[in-house]
Amino acid sequence: RVHHHHRSVAGLDLKSCREFFIRSLHRACDPEPRSCSVFSMPGTTVIILRHGERMDAVNKEWMGSNRDRPFDPPLTERGAAMGFKAGEAIQDIIKKENLPPISRIFSSPLIRCVQTVAEVKKSVGFDGPINPEPALAEIIFEEWYRSWGVPGTTGQWGGPPNCGLGVPVAKEDLHPGCLRPAGELYLTPTKLTEKLGDIISQEYEPQLPSSAVTYCWGNVETPEQGRARVGRFAEHCAEKYPGETVVMCSHGGPTSMMYQALGKTTEELES
């Protein structure tokens, strides 16, 4: 018999990091079905965070001058500082709650998330690698494609005012990346290492391989599919790493979905 216990730990007011939210969730198992001590074994602590400030959020011309990978903006300097501050906040939670130290870091393969946890890694002194996990990538809605792949885009979710949802777009006017399987757009561990140095695991086998992410323009992910994708990974980590503290870095939509999958509502998350 397995008992699940979820507890939000110390919501943070990171005044310089408002784009972040961080919560710790505990899971515990009762080793003796008739034991009075239901939560007698330490569970898994899952720390969920969103990436820091991205370049196109402050420089609306960034996408127009980076047409090779407009869907993958890096962090700003402020965004990197937010990642470092998040690491400090995580350490405070770990000490305050007497939790195990971080043992694993997982990240969306999109570079802003990897850069964020690279700063967390530096801040907390974690000497393990970062594990790129496509299950944590941005939700592959039409809104995502319109934020970078249609004429006149500036990074705005859902597209620019003259090309939002419902506005027809000819295939020849789309960015070529819109027509490729989404998994092909993610940087491989080797490419991430070339950009960020030797902090990326080359041995990690993703729970969801990039080759399995086949959505594209005209065949997008549904909300139900997105929730199932990130939920499976959150549950996978919560069950696979008993007694450990793991960090996951993702995007706005997936982080909310993971939090829901682990037993909290978005109302609690935002409170």
Side-chain angles (χ1 to χ4, degrees):
R1 184 178 58 173
V2 177
H3 300 267
H4 298 296
H5 173 56
H6 303 82
R7 181 163 63 91
S8 175
V9 177
L12 300 176
D13 178 19
L14 302 179
K15 292 183 180 178
S16 63
C17 312
R18 294 190 178 181
E19 289 82 355
F20 281 97
F21 59 82
I22 302 174
R23 297 289 188 273
S24 297
L25 303 168
H26 298 269
R27 292 221 160 178
C29 297
D30 177 9
E32 298 291 339
R34 287 167 289 189
S35 171
C36 294
S37 180
V38 176
F39 304 112
S40 58
M41 290 178 63
T44 303
T45 301
V46 178
I47 298 175
I48 301 169
L49 64 146
R50 185 183 180 186
H51 62 78
E53 181 181 75
R54 46 191 271 183
M55 186 66 70
D56 60 311
V58 298
N59 179 3
K60 296 305 181 183
E61 297 180 359
W62 184 88
M63 283 199 172
S65 59
N66 289 271
R67 295 310 292 163
D68 287 345
R69 298 185 61 78
F71 46 83
D72 201 11
L75 294 182
T76 62
E77 288 186 13
R78 179 172 179 267
M82 292 162 75
F84 194 88
K85 287 296 241 181
E88 292 178 344
I90 289 169
Q91 282 294 80
D92 288 345
I93 289 177
I94 288 172
K95 290 177 183 176
K96 180 179 178 181
E97 301 293 329
N98 195 28
L99 299 171
I102 294 170
S103 56
R104 300 171 198 274
I105 295 179
F106 300 95
S107 174
S108 161
L110 293 172
I111 200 162
R112 56 191 177 274
C113 289
V114 185
Q115 289 175 318
T116 299
V117 286
E119 293 297 320
V120 170
K121 173 178 159 67
K122 191 187 308 180
S123 177
V124 303
F126 178 67
D127 60 4
I130 296 167
N131 301 306
E133 174 53 65
L136 296 176
E138 181 61 278
I139 301 301
I140 312 167
F141 294 168
E142 183 177 334
E143 289 92 331
W144 179 64
Y145 285 108
R146 287 184 181 269
S147 74
W148 58 266
V150 299
T153 190
T154 60
Q156 180 177 329
W157 186 255
N162 63 340
C163 199
L165 290 177
V167 176
V169 184
K171 282 190 175 182
E172 57 268 25
D173 292 332
L174 292 169
H175 186 281
C178 294
L179 305 176
R180 294 169 57 192
E184 292 184 5
L185 305 180
Y186 306 151
L187 291 174
T188 64
T190 300
K191 291 292 186 183
L192 284 169
T193 297
E194 289 175 4
K195 287 181 173 290
L196 301 176
D198 192 22
I199 59 173
I200 310 297
S201 174
Q202 304 298 316
E203 288 76 38
Y204 173 67
E205 294 185 6
Q207 192 243 3
L208 178 67
S210 293
S211 59
V213 184
T214 58
Y215 301 110
C216 61
W217 179 272
N219 178 33
V220 298
E221 195 170 37
T222 66
E224 293 74 23
Q225 289 168 330
R227 279 192 289 271
R229 164 166 65 90
V230 298
R232 278 192 298 268
F233 184 69
E235 294 285 347
H236 163 79
C237 287
E239 299 294 344
K240 187 172 181 180
Y241 305 118
E244 297 188 30
T245 296
V246 301
V247 172
M248 302 181 206
C249 185
S250 187
H251 309 263
T255 46
S256 297
M257 291 173 177
M258 279 190 287
Y259 202 78
Q260 291 172 321
L262 288 171
K264 295 292 179 183
T265 66
T266 52
E267 287 74 20
E268 289 173 301
L269 181 153
E270 292 166 356
S271 65

